[in-house]
Amino acid sequence: MAWLVAFAVSHIVLAIFPGDDPTGDGPWSYTAYIVYDLVLVGISIAGAVVASATVRPWGRALPRWTVLTSLWIGSVLLIVRGIPGIAENVLTVTGITPHGLLGTINGVAADHSTMEFWSGMAINTYFFLGAVVLVPATVSYARQSRMA
């Protein structure tokens, strides 16, 4: 749940203080950026409620399939985002794939001295840790709720 709260808070902060160019020179508008951020905040809050439902007495009143389906969806999303991200981190830092798994846009190897590189590393690691925490929690809930 702490992972989800931190994720929600970070996106609330990004919505309030978006920086110089929140759209990243993309084809979307500032409004789309804010809507996207707020959707992520909503999903995070819903995820925190679901995570709480697995350990709080009021959670037993919810249908098992709704909690379990939500947990599995979250687990799959974090696996799909986290594992390739951490793999790219390791491969890029070690120099095995200096351009990343799919290459860089401009064909130049990743510059390890930039804040952009290390913030990307931190974000990839954060999603990987989310998967490391949520997948076992999901499996544990599936087993325990089946026995109850």
Side-chain angles (χ1 to χ4, degrees):
M1 185 156 100
W3 189 97
L4 290 159
V5 171
F7 187 80
V9 168
S10 72
H11 281 277
I12 290 169
V13 170
L14 287 171
I16 296 169
F17 305 106
D20 294 336
D21 184 19
T23 64
D25 291 330
W28 42 86
S29 67
Y30 177 72
T31 302
Y33 168 80
I34 295 298
V35 169
Y36 168 76
D37 251 7
L38 294 178
V39 167
L40 291 177
V41 169
I43 290 170
S44 298
I45 291 168
V49 170
V50 169
S52 295
T54 66
V55 295
R56 305 299 299 165
W58 57 264
R60 286 185 228 121
L62 298 174
R64 177 180 183 266
W65 72 269
T66 59
V67 175
L68 202 51
T69 300
S70 299
L71 289 170
W72 280 118
I73 290 170
S75 293
V76 168
L77 288 173
L78 287 171
I79 288 168
V80 167
R81 175 61 175 86
I83 291 177
I86 200 75
E88 182 166 46
N89 284 358
V90 171
L91 295 172
T92 303
V93 167
T94 59
I96 294 171
T97 58
H99 297 276
L101 292 174
L102 301 175
T104 54
I105 293 171
N106 59 6
V108 177
D111 183 357
H112 298 191
S113 67
T114 66
M115 184 62 171
E116 181 181 4
F117 176 80
W118 289 105
S119 66
M121 295 279 285
I123 292 167
N124 287 342
T125 303
Y126 188 73
F127 279 98
F128 178 73
L129 291 175
V132 166
V133 170
L134 187 58
V135 171
T138 301
V139 171
S140 175
Y141 175 77
R143 289 180 181 157
Q144 289 177 1
S145 64
R146 187 177 7 169
M147 293 179 213

